Amino acid sequence: MEQLPVLSILIFLPLIYALIVPFLPNEKRLLHTFSTVGSGLLFVLSVLFWLGTTKAGRPAAEFMTWLPQLGIHYNVGADNLSWVLVILTTFLVLMAVLASYTSIEKRLKLYYAMIFTLTSAILGVFLARDLFVFFLFWELELIPMYLLISIWGGPRREYAAIKFVLYTLFGSVFMLAAILGLFFIARSADPSATFAFADLSGVSATGLAVGTQVLLFLGLFTAFAIKLPMVPFHTWLPDAHVEAPTPISMLLAGILLKMGSYGMLRLCFGWFPEAATVLAPYLVLIGTINIVYTAGVALAQADLKKLIAYSSVSHMGFVLLGLGALNAVGFNGAVFQMVSHGLISAGLFMIVGTLYTRTHTRQIAEMGGFGKVLPTVYFFALLIAMASLGLPLLGGFPAETLVFYGAFLSNAFKVIPWFGGTVLTLSIQTLTIISAIGVVLGAAYLLWMLMRVFMGPVFPKWSDLKDATPSEVFVLAALSFLIVAVGLFPNLVSSQFEREVTAMAQPYSKMIAELHKATPKGQIPVISMMSFSKNEGGTR
Amino acid sequence: MDETTFAGLYQFGFWVFAATMVAGALGVVFHRSIVYSALMLLITFLSIAAVFVLLNAPFIAAAQVLVYAVGLTIVLIFGIMLTGDKPFVDPVGQERPNRFWLMPAVASTIFLGFLIWALLYPTMGFSGINGIFVSLMDPATNPATLPSVQAISTDGGITVIGQLLFSRYLIPFEVASILLLLAMMGAILLSKRTFPEEEGETLATVETIEPYAPQVNIEGNTPSLSSSHSEVEEKETLGVH
Amino acid sequence: MFEVGLYHYITLAAVLFSIGLYGVLSSRNAIRVLMCIELMLNAVNINLVAFNNFINIEDLGGQVFSIFILTVSAAEASVGLAILIALYRSRKSVDMERFNLLKW
Amino acid sequence: MSNAVQDLVWLIPVYPLIAFLIIVLGRWTGLLKPMSGSPFVILATALGLIHTLLFLGNWGPAYTAVEQNWTWLQAGALQLPIGYFIDGTGMMMLLVVTSVSLLIQIYTHGYMGHDPGYSRFYAYLALFNFSMLSLVLSSNLFQMYIFWEMVGVSSYLLIGFWFTRPSAAAAATKAFLMNRVGDFGLLIGILTLLYFSWTYWQGLDPQQLLSFSQMDGAARTALAAAGPVAFTVMAILIFMGPMAKSAQLPLHTWLPDAMEGPTPISALIHAATMVAAGVFLIARMYPVFTISPNAMMIIAWIGALTAFVAATIALTQVDIKKALAYSTMSQLGYMVLAMGLGAYSAGLFHLMTHAYFKAMLFLCSGSVIHGCHEEQDMRKMGGLMKYMPITGITYLIGTIAITGVLPFAGFWSKDEIIASAAEQPLLFMIAIATAAMTAFYMFRTYFMTFHGTYRGHGHPHESPKVMTMPLAILAVPSVILGFALSGFFGLPAFSQYVSFGHAHHHDPNLGVMGLSILVALGGFLVAWLMYGQAKVIDPARIASAFKPVHTLLWNKWYFDQAYGFFARNIYLSFASLSAWFDRTVIDGIVGLTAGTVNASGGAMRALQNGRVQSYLVIFFIAVVLLTVVLMWMV
């Protein structure tokens, strides 16, 4: 299995599909089957390759010199964390393709071509081991997504598509600056340094001043935060979701949000432990706001899809909370939340999609009594909503538990240093309690939505709707099966990436102790650590 | 007349001619009718000639009167006749006030301010390239030499100018002449009109070109007037029928 | 009044020049623009002759130069008028507003 | 054979799970006919009961606790275990749950026979059984939290079974939300406990995290680490879970609304099993509660107040199921009071007896409603004894049991609770008053439904055998159970098997026994006078005499209105405010940046307007500026 360039196949196979699709005869049934078979093959391949390489102890990695003089090389590799997300991606792409049967009618060729380009871009992001290649794929993913939203979207699709692109570009500007800054710092240390992850990850350990670390951290973090999305930068998500067609919003919520959190974990938290320790209080604070605030906003939404979009923003707040806990449990919780949220939000959007293809309206006020009319949809909606609620024995619960246990038991910070020397007496424990309140609020809007949409008397208008078609049922069943499996046996999933993620969290316990030790009694930790001067010698 | 009355007359003369010159200039710019502004121009030229006289340059004054006052004004009058001297009539009927006056006014006042500042500045001891100004402005260094009676009585410096023209300034002189030649050819070429066929047509049969009252639509430019088909139009109006 | 010196003539020339400038920039009729250009050129002439008179009366360089300016302005006026006539023929008007092709 | 039964005890909850999966997959694939599936569920519960009896059979005289743990989720230093743990309390709960749910499932066949959602109902019953049994078997607090929420969801599904009815949908959502609030408190309680006792758990085998067997050691370390005040707060936070689940005072309003669900589930969930789970959790977490006296005091007081308030509201109820619901709340208040006073075995004994006779009462009310064609209002019933003799008699037995008259079960368990409250005078008085009120409103419901003339239209008929047979079976424990385990005349005492710490057996306090019987008879007498044949006192006149009190009780102490107010005004306005903020402020900023870019573009466009003269203007100004700069620079 080693001689096979496994990762490159995975990345470029979808691109080949994208090239083949336009040359097929323009016949709906043929295009659907081709894409389904293609994405099915991709999914099977990704699982086989994973079992063949990393799982069997030989982590796959490929290297090809590309621009030696610039220090940029085609450097891809995959540890278990990337593999889990790759498989999640290929699975959700298969689901999206299946979901497109009923919801996409016009210009199918361009549609499938774009979906496969998007897949290869996302796989590239997860598998890249060279920061420049990572950035390249990060930007490549924008174009297909823009086209997908702006051509097949709803009434205000251009606005939503442009807003989506502008937000991400705004972020990637900072990311590019941070990438180049990091590269040149590495180059100044040793001239042979390239953009490879291996070279750049060691930079912070070689006595880089905390101030610069914080700046580089924030540079990278802004792009990832916008993608996450984090509260101040989140308004693109509801618009993009409301306007995007069902399969696209499944992909958008299922995978694209994970790119942000994956980047955060591997790049920001992986390479700048000191900066992460210094900034952890603020991350957790924003994470809590993310959970509670968007839960409140979601409750007041009249549009069903917007409600689901805000719920996924609120759930991604857990990732921030988990990462801010700066311990192995929190990190594992964050990664678990990525996986389970991917499945759950894809399922929720599939439900909204099935309702939309039948009723062509997303206003909750116009809906009602679907439980009687669409029993299968009601069954799956109930199951997936409960999972999103964090019900035990379903996907959401293990993630939430790990994040809460991790955050509550972490000693990341007792107080949040604020401007002008004042201090917010919010320890990570209080913030976790507030987030738990956010979860209860979350339960409120989901249950209220279920009540208004599915329960209650049957509306005369909707009395003659036909129940879910086989393809929709297959997608919902596959997603629900996985959600239940992950919920019942979480160790199956978490044991895959547990070793890598715990290794990532390993330096933090020492870092936190050092931070607390470095701050004399009563003095605010951040200010004293925030020196821009070069750290004296290797006290690391 | 003795020195002092002459000096007084000189002073007085300067202010009179300066006043008429400025009034004439303002007339040229602000008078509604183009013909009147042409006459105003004539007055300005004449007062400039008078000033030249005050500045011991009788030949230049004569040249000024000859070239400008007479030649140029006549040519301009011709121009006015050829292009119609009625003030622009806005489709609404009343003469459209000149909408764009603010910016030009600002620009010219700034320029005026700048010029005067450039003059005043040297007197305030500004060093640098204006060094010469400093000495120049100081009445102590060079008193104003009044046009001495004797200077006027001689040939007014014509001989000296003639000698200069053909000694130090010979090349500029020749270039100037070539310039004039070129200008003449250019003017003839530009204003030549192509007549479709020469014979049988006298100037009288050619209708005079009705001034085209511009119908200004909303965008501010007349729709039909794109340059592409102006020749066609021209042919029609000329149309030998 | 105080002694009329070089300074007066230069200020006079400056005033005349700005009036001419204003005329060029603001007038609607192309011919008036030509007239005002003439005014500006004459202002320059005054300056030259004034310098000649106040700085070095013997060396009549200033006056020679003003002659050259004379020729140039005459040439310019005639060519300007010719262009104006050609413009008038094609545009049937001399309104400066109408000549607005000089834009993207 | 014995260790096989013991090792496979975790199978007990798995039987209903398998039944659930069979029905769901069967119905989905169409293998199962629409109205079938109940045999699988009943078989599963029967297997559970048999397995429990077998396990009890060879559990041996010592009755030592059996425990087995596996790792459910491992991340970094944290290992969250899952497993089973059976001790006296656990076995008691197992017996109660399996037996009551078996009988109720048989009864449901009759009650739901003609309902189109028949198989869906049985699927939900199976799911509930699975969650409840796993909750009873769970070996640690984390696992109990998991099944705590699973039980909440099953009750949500069952209450909202007839979801086409808006009131049922609302009741289901309300029940689930209120349970979620309780679960939130429980979660934070668990986290704080773990936070303070982390060093203790590190010392143990990681699979023992939060396990009940090690709970006392952990409690002591936590108390030492946290200090009394924080420890009490943590204890109360953990108590918030049972508060919601067993409908204690602040979080109780969901229980009466839960009567929207079909009657069998009211019997199963809202009388016998689920609401008892709260008391079961207190029992499991007793080491934590006992070492903080003021936590115990708070629990006792909440229990007493709930009992008292529920009893007062029950006085004025006209809907038979609502009356029974409030009586359940009141009895639960008794159990919590007992736990708060340290009477561990008394509370659990009452839990056991209450489970049987309250389930029977609910099933009787079910058959009454079934008989009177879905009529729930007692004012439209009366004189049903003639039409439904078996239901009538079983209902009478239940009423006597609950009021605590001598030979019947209720007397023994309630008497022990009242006896344990003897030290605190105030609590004792509330207990006695509640006992009197219980007697009064229970006999009131009995007389209104079974005595006098039939006030409703239509002709009631006795329920089929499949419904009356479980009633008869349930009547047996309601009568003899109390006496059998009272410890008198050499009979085994309940506290021998189910007790906390040393199994002490204090001598029966005759004075209290006499007083409680007297009070019960008093309540019966007043009820008989008002509603019985005598009709001496006219209830309407009494109601008008105490007008304000009556309206207060009629409106259920205005709790619902208060929660409604909170939800509508505070919570919804927070939501709409944040929604508004999100739309205008954040999107506003985005719009602003786009707007400024657009506007500046427009302004620049005006500069290039094709007029030569405007270009000249710019030209001359530029000349001036340049020369000034040059002169300044030189």
Side-chain angles (χ1 to χ4, degrees):
Chain A
M1 186 63 93
E2 306 77 22
Q3 75 292 353
L4 211 61
V6 162
L7 300 175
S8 311
I9 293 177
L10 269 186
I11 294 177
F12 295 110
L13 187 58
L15 266 185
I16 298 163
Y17 289 151
L19 293 177
I20 297 169
V21 164
F23 299 106
L24 296 173
N26 192 355
E27 194 266 330
K28 194 161 169 331
R29 182 125 299 287
L30 176 74
L31 285 172
H32 278 316
T33 35
F34 171 81
S35 321
T36 329
V37 166
S39 43
L41 179 65
L42 189 71
F43 172 60
V44 167
L45 271 181
S46 64
V47 175
L48 285 179
F49 286 158
W50 170 48
L51 294 176
T53 57
T54 320
K55 198 81 172 69
R58 295 183 301 280
E62 279 140 46
F63 179 86
M64 195 174 68
T65 52
W66 183 13
L67 299 164
Q69 62 276 29
L70 292 175
I72 302 171
H73 300 291
Y74 174 74
N75 189 341
V76 274
D79 61 357
N80 273 325
L81 176 59
S82 310
W83 272 118
V84 167
L85 289 171
V86 159
I87 292 167
L88 177 71
T89 316
T90 44
F91 176 70
L92 284 182
V93 164
L94 176 61
M95 288 303 121
V97 164
L98 286 172
S100 323
Y101 281 18
T102 46
S103 51
I104 303 289
E105 262 72 38
K106 55 185 167 81
R107 293 170 74 168
L108 274 170
K109 286 202 201 178
L110 179 62
Y111 175 77
Y112 281 118
M114 282 304 115
I115 284 224
F116 286 125
T117 351
L118 182 70
T119 328
S120 80
I122 296 170
L123 292 180
V125 164
F126 287 137
L127 294 172
R129 282 296 168 271
D130 180 299
L131 206 47
F132 209 86
V133 169
F134 176 85
F135 184 72
L136 185 87
F137 280 117
W138 179 276
E139 293 298 309
L140 180 62
E141 153 273 328
L142 270 180
I143 306 142
M145 203 48 179
Y146 170 75
L147 288 175
L148 285 169
I149 294 178
S150 64
I151 298 173
W152 289 273
R156 265 170 71 237
R157 49 183 182 276
E158 285 83 11
Y159 167 77
I162 293 169
K163 190 170 184 181
F164 164 76
V165 169
L166 283 183
Y167 260 95
T168 326
L169 283 183
F170 171 76
S172 45
V173 160
F174 293 100
M175 181 151 85
L176 187 57
I179 288 176
L180 294 179
L182 186 60
F183 173 68
F184 288 119
I185 293 172
R187 255 300 159 87
S188 65
D190 98 66
S192 71
T194 67
F195 272 93
F197 279 17
D199 302 355
L200 297 181
S201 57
V203 164
S204 68
T206 60
L208 188 64
V210 179
T212 12
Q213 275 197 38
V214 167
L215 278 183
L216 291 175
F217 180 94
L218 285 179
L220 289 169
F221 185 76
T222 344
F224 300 139
I226 287 174
K227 211 54 166 165
L228 187 58
M230 206 168 65
V231 166
F233 311 113
H234 68 292
T235 43
W236 62 273
L237 190 83
D239 293 330
H241 272 304
V242 165
E243 300 311 329
T246 324
I248 305 309
S249 51
M250 276 168 76
L251 285 181
L252 183 65
I255 315 165
L256 262 72
L257 305 190
K258 310 310 170 266
M259 280 162 54
S261 37
Y262 168 76
M264 252 184 231
L265 178 59
R266 189 179 290 283
L267 269 67
C268 292
F269 280 80
W271 295 353
F272 305 104
E274 223 169 311
T277 328
V278 164
L279 291 174
Y282 309 104
L283 294 187
V284 175
L285 184 67
I286 298 177
T288 321
I289 295 171
N290 208 358
I291 295 169
V292 177
Y293 167 70
T294 27
V297 172
L299 187 78
Q301 291 305 330
D303 180 323
L304 182 59
K305 211 165 188 187
K306 224 170 204 184
L307 186 135
I308 307 283
Y310 274 112
S311 90
S312 76
V313 172
S314 167
H315 282 290
M316 288 314 276
F318 280 104
V319 175
L320 268 178
L321 190 62
L323 292 179
L326 298 181
N327 56 21
V329 182
F331 276 27
N332 274 300
V335 176
F336 208 112
Q337 174 70 354
M338 284 197 237
V339 173
S340 69
H341 176 265
L343 296 172
I344 292 168
S345 60
L348 282 176
F349 280 112
M350 185 61 200
I351 301 282
V352 173
T354 44
L355 291 184
Y356 182 72
T357 41
R358 280 162 184 69
T359 59
H360 293 295
T361 160
R362 278 192 292 272
Q363 299 305 330
I364 297 178
E366 286 164 29
M367 297 184 189
F370 285 154
K372 201 64 144 161
V373 178
L374 308 164
T376 356
V377 177
Y378 177 51
F379 169 75
F380 285 117
L382 208 57
L383 190 127
I384 298 173
M386 287 305 159
S388 139
L389 209 58
L391 183 76
L393 302 187
L394 285 176
F397 180 72
E400 236 167 72
T401 329
L402 284 181
V403 167
F404 277 140
Y405 279 63
F408 209 86
L409 301 176
S410 108
N411 50 13
F413 58 92
K414 279 285 168 274
V415 283
I416 301 180
W418 207 242
F419 306 103
T422 59
V423 164
L424 288 180
T425 56
L426 287 168
S427 73
I428 191 162
Q429 281 69 18
T430 12
L431 285 178
T432 328
I433 292 174
I434 298 167
S435 320
I437 296 175
V439 167
V440 175
L441 296 185
Y445 68 74
L446 270 175
L447 289 174
W448 195 27
M449 180 272 285
L450 277 178
M451 190 171 84
R452 286 181 297 175
V453 169
F454 286 96
M455 300 186 180
V458 178
F459 279 32
K461 201 158 68 159
W462 310 124
S463 55
D464 52 7
L465 294 180
K466 55 177 171 41
D467 205 350
T469 61
S471 76
E472 284 166 350
V473 168
F474 176 75
V475 170
L476 285 171
L479 285 170
S480 317
F481 172 74
L482 269 181
I483 290 173
V484 171
V486 165
L488 280 175
F489 309 104
N491 233 353
L492 283 185
V493 173
S494 77
S495 59
Q496 306 313 337
F497 50 78
E498 202 266 334
R499 238 173 334 89
E500 277 85 5
V501 175
T502 321
M504 265 186 217
Q506 186 271 334
Y508 279 100
S509 46
K510 187 162 55 60
M511 207 65 72
I512 297 171
E514 199 179 275
L515 176 69
H516 288 317
K517 181 163 53 58
T519 53
K521 212 66 212 111
Q523 231 256 334
I524 297 114
V526 177
I527 312 300
S528 67
M529 291 295 287
M530 193 71 122
S531 58
F532 278 75
S533 64
K534 219 161 163 27
N535 286 50
E536 320 71 27
T539 58
R540 200 108 353 269
Chain B
M1 56 181 162
D2 57 5
E3 217 51 52
T4 53
T5 55
F6 182 80
L9 191 67
Y10 179 86
Q11 306 284 359
F12 174 70
F14 169 75
W15 289 113
V16 164
F17 293 125
T20 49
M21 192 197 308
V22 168
L26 289 173
V28 167
V29 171
F30 289 105
H31 203 286
R32 266 196 342 300
S33 137
I34 194 74
V35 176
Y36 276 96
S37 59
L39 295 182
M40 290 295 166
L41 190 67
L42 177 64
I43 292 165
T44 321
F45 284 153
L46 292 179
S47 49
I48 291 172
V51 164
F52 281 159
V53 167
L54 291 178
L55 283 169
N56 297 326
F59 170 68
I60 305 296
Q64 163 84 357
V65 168
L66 188 66
V67 171
Y68 278 115
V70 174
L72 194 66
T73 319
I74 303 302
V75 165
L76 283 173
I77 300 284
F78 266 99
I80 292 170
M81 286 315 134
L82 273 175
T83 59
D85 63 350
K86 279 189 292 309
F88 297 114
V89 178
D90 201 30
V92 180
Q94 102 291 17
E95 188 202 324
R96 193 167 45 169
N98 186 336
R99 272 181 297 117
F100 304 100
W101 56 270
L102 176 68
M103 275 311 285
V106 163
S108 37
T109 38
I110 290 174
F111 206 84
L112 181 63
F114 161 70
L115 287 178
I116 292 178
W117 171 76
L119 295 172
L120 272 179
Y121 215 60
T123 54
M124 286 182 283
F126 169 74
S127 64
I129 55 170
N130 290 21
I132 51 154
F133 268 95
V134 172
S135 60
L136 181 135
M137 281 302 135
D138 177 3
T141 51
N142 46 35
T145 54
L146 296 177
S148 56
V149 173
Q150 139 274 359
I152 295 168
S153 64
T154 63
D155 62 7
I158 291 173
T159 50
V160 171
I161 291 173
Q163 283 153 6
L164 275 177
L165 265 181
F166 286 95
S167 61
R168 226 160 74 199
Y169 298 106
L170 182 62
I171 300 157
F173 179 79
E174 293 311 325
V175 166
S177 60
I178 294 165
L179 177 74
L180 281 175
L181 176 65
L182 280 176
M184 199 164 50
M185 285 166 49
I188 293 163
L189 190 69
L190 273 172
S191 49
K192 181 172 179 304
R193 252 187 331 188
T194 54
F195 291 91
E197 54 283 46
E198 293 304 318
E199 71 294 338
E201 177 184 326
T202 60
L203 209 56
T205 58
V206 170
E207 301 102 5
T208 58
I209 300 152
E210 269 313 307
Y212 185 83
Q215 277 79 27
V216 178
N217 58 26
I218 302 150
E219 285 84 21
N221 43 40
T222 48
S224 66
L225 203 67
S226 66
S227 56
S228 59
H229 55 73
S230 59
E231 287 76 20
V232 166
E233 225 167 5
E234 192 173 315
K235 277 195 180 49
E236 272 149 18
T237 48
L238 289 181
V240 177
H241 30 74
Chain C
M1 279 289 290
F2 47 84
E3 188 70 39
V4 169
L6 174 65
Y7 176 71
H8 294 79
Y9 285 100
I10 289 177
T11 329
L12 176 67
V15 165
L16 192 67
F17 185 86
S18 353
I19 292 174
L21 179 65
Y22 175 73
V24 162
L25 297 182
S26 68
S27 58
R28 291 294 307 284
N29 187 332
I31 294 175
R32 182 166 288 146
V33 169
L34 282 180
M35 289 185 206
C36 298
I37 291 172
E38 291 317 314
L39 271 184
M40 291 161 72
L41 287 166
N42 277 322
V44 169
N45 261 352
I46 293 173
N47 253 348
L48 283 172
V49 172
F51 287 142
N52 180 59
N53 173 34
F54 282 93
I55 295 169
N56 179 355
I57 193 78
E58 277 65 32
D59 164 17
L60 288 176
Q63 298 197 359
V64 165
F65 218 86
S66 72
I67 290 168
F68 288 135
I69 291 200
L70 219 69
T71 54
V72 164
S73 76
E76 181 271 333
S78 58
V79 169
L81 212 56
I83 293 173
L84 195 73
I85 303 297
L87 254 178
Y88 177 79
R89 283 217 190 90
S90 79
R91 280 308 177 96
K92 295 294 168 297
S93 123
V94 279
D95 172 0
M96 286 295 279
E97 294 299 307
R98 303 293 313 295
F99 313 143
N100 55 9
L101 291 183
L102 265 174
K103 65 177 175 185
W104 180 242
Chain D
M1 213 311 253
S2 72
N3 49 28
V5 164
Q6 219 150 32
D7 294 346
L8 295 178
V9 79
W10 55 271
L11 270 180
I12 296 177
V14 168
Y15 300 132
L17 183 63
I18 297 168
F20 170 74
L21 291 180
I22 292 171
I23 293 182
V24 166
L25 297 179
R27 286 293 299 114
W28 191 25
T29 54
L31 290 174
L32 218 59
K33 296 189 307 306
M35 295 291 279
S36 65
S38 61
F40 297 106
V41 179
I42 295 173
L43 179 68
T45 329
L47 267 175
L49 183 60
I50 295 156
H51 197 131
T52 331
L53 293 173
L54 276 173
F55 181 89
L56 185 61
N58 45 51
W59 193 14
Y63 300 112
T64 53
V66 171
E67 184 170 358
Q68 169 69 40
N69 280 317
W70 301 278
T71 320
W72 185 61
L73 179 60
Q74 198 266 333
L78 182 73
Q79 248 193 7
L80 295 171
I82 202 163
Y84 61 84
F85 168 77
I86 302 166
D87 64 350
T89 328
M91 179 42 73
M92 181 274 287
M93 281 300 283
L94 263 183
L95 281 174
V96 166
V97 169
T98 39
S99 53
V100 169
S101 51
L102 181 64
L103 289 173
I104 287 176
Q105 275 162 12
I106 297 163
Y107 175 92
T108 319
H109 178 68
Y111 188 82
M112 299 292 280
H114 45 72
D115 189 303
Y118 179 81
S119 50
R120 183 161 64 92
F121 188 72
Y122 267 94
Y124 289 160
L125 275 182
L127 183 69
F128 172 76
N129 256 7
F130 158 68
S131 341
M132 192 62 204
L133 290 172
S134 327
L135 188 142
V136 168
L137 280 178
S138 51
S139 72
N140 59 53
L141 193 52
F142 168 71
Q143 183 185 348
M144 184 172 266
Y145 177 77
I146 291 183
F147 294 108
W148 194 263
E149 285 204 32
M150 282 300 290
V151 165
V153 166
S154 347
S155 91
Y156 166 75
L157 294 173
L158 283 165
I159 297 172
F161 177 66
W162 289 316
F163 54 80
T164 43
R165 258 206 331 235
S167 57
T173 318
K174 178 175 177 179
F176 191 59
L177 264 182
M178 212 153 264
N179 278 320
R180 280 294 287 193
V181 170
D183 298 349
F184 156 74
L186 182 58
L187 174 67
I188 300 301
I190 298 172
L191 287 174
T192 349
L193 175 66
L194 206 54
Y195 182 75
F196 286 125
S197 61
W198 183 249
T199 48
Y200 177 79
W201 297 113
Q202 287 307 90
L204 296 173
D205 150 27
Q207 286 193 344
Q208 289 265 330
L209 190 70
L210 282 173
S211 68
F212 294 121
S213 47
Q214 309 298 337
M215 198 47 89
D216 46 8
R220 262 188 287 285
T221 3
L223 181 60
V229 174
F231 191 79
T232 320
V233 167
M234 184 197 74
I236 295 307
L237 272 176
I238 294 180
F239 177 62
M240 246 178 92
M243 242 199 289
K245 199 64 78 182
S246 308
Q248 294 307 303
L249 205 54
L251 300 172
H252 68 288
T253 51
W254 64 273
L255 188 58
D257 296 350
M259 292 308 124
E260 286 294 327
T263 318
I265 67 121
S266 315
L268 177 65
I269 292 183
H270 304 118
T273 48
M274 190 178 99
V275 284
V279 182
F280 180 68
L281 182 100
I282 303 172
R284 277 289 191 233
M285 290 298 286
Y286 225 49
V288 169
F289 290 117
T290 41
I291 58 173
S292 96
N294 27 37
M296 292 290 269
M297 193 41 64
I298 294 170
I299 293 175
W301 268 100
I302 288 185
L305 284 179
T306 319
F308 181 76
V309 162
T312 49
I313 299 174
L315 298 177
T316 57
Q317 283 308 317
V318 281
D319 177 328
I320 186 166
K321 281 180 72 177
K322 289 255 175 14
L324 289 177
Y326 278 107
S327 93
T328 311
M329 230 173 88
S330 172
Q331 299 307 317
L332 284 168
Y334 262 110
M335 296 177 212
V336 169
L337 169 66
M339 301 303 265
L341 291 168
Y344 180 82
S345 33
L348 287 175
F349 189 25
H350 191 58
L351 183 143
M352 186 169 185
T353 52
H354 173 268
Y356 286 106
F357 56 70
K358 187 47 72 62
M360 185 177 69
L361 281 170
F362 262 107
L363 293 186
C364 296
S365 73
S367 79
V368 160
I369 294 165
H370 185 73
C372 304
H373 312 298
E374 308 314 325
E375 179 50 63
Q376 294 197 338
D377 190 334
M378 287 193 280
R379 287 170 299 193
K380 294 196 181 61
M381 302 178 196
L384 291 181
M385 188 56 101
K386 305 195 277 310
Y387 304 98
M388 315 163 88
I390 305 173
T391 320
I393 294 161
T394 44
Y395 195 93
L396 180 60
I397 294 168
T399 326
I400 299 166
I402 196 166
T403 47
V405 175
L406 191 58
F408 286 77
F411 165 75
W412 304 100
S413 52
K414 191 183 280 188
D415 167 63
E416 271 184 46
I417 295 175
I418 297 172
S420 63
E423 297 88 28
Q424 274 86 354
L426 205 56
L427 284 181
F428 183 71
M429 272 217 299
I430 292 177
I432 290 295
T434 323
M437 279 193 280
T438 319
F440 170 74
Y441 68 67
M442 281 316 288
F443 276 102
R444 167 177 173 272
T445 51
Y446 172 71
F447 288 129
M448 278 177 82
T449 37
F450 290 100
H451 278 253
T453 58
Y454 181 69
R455 290 182 288 275
H457 44 73
H459 37 77
H461 55 79
E462 179 54 289
S463 312
K465 236 172 122 32
V466 81
M467 287 168 75
T468 50
M469 185 265 292
L471 290 182
I473 297 170
L474 273 174
V476 169
S478 316
V479 173
I480 56 133
L481 194 61
F483 182 68
L485 290 168
S486 62
F488 281 101
F489 319 109
L491 287 166
F494 180 82
S495 54
Q496 272 168 352
Y497 306 104
V498 172
S499 64
F500 177 74
H502 48 76
H504 63 80
H505 173 65
H506 51 75
D507 48 15
N509 171 340
L510 286 182
V512 164
M513 272 193 189
L515 184 62
S516 70
I517 294 169
L518 211 67
V519 152
L521 290 180
F524 160 73
L525 208 63
V526 171
W528 189 69
L529 288 177
M530 282 172 75
Y531 293 95
Q533 263 75 3
K535 287 266 184 306
V536 170
I537 314 162
D538 172 9
R541 211 157 44 70
I542 306 267
S544 55
F546 301 95
K547 200 66 189 109
V549 172
H550 181 74
T551 41
L552 176 70
L553 301 184
W554 181 258
N555 293 317
K556 305 190 265 299
W557 294 62
Y558 295 109
F559 274 102
D560 277 334
Q561 289 77 353
Y563 290 156
F565 175 80
F566 167 75
R568 267 188 306 281
N569 296 59
I570 300 161
Y571 182 41
L572 276 188
S573 56
F574 159 71
S576 44
L577 183 70
S578 44
W580 168 83
F581 177 78
D582 197 72
R583 262 195 319 280
T584 42
V585 173
I586 299 186
D587 266 356
I589 296 166
V590 169
L592 209 63
T593 43
T596 40
V597 166
N598 208 342
S600 57
M604 295 306 285
R605 194 172 50 78
L607 267 183
Q608 201 169 25
N609 46 27
R611 276 203 335 286
V612 174
Q613 288 164 319
S614 52
Y615 298 157
L616 272 177
V617 164
I618 297 164
F619 173 79
F620 273 99
I621 293 181
V623 161
V624 169
L625 291 180
L626 277 177
T627 13
V628 164
V629 164
L630 273 177
M631 287 170 82
W632 177 67
M633 289 241 289
V634 160

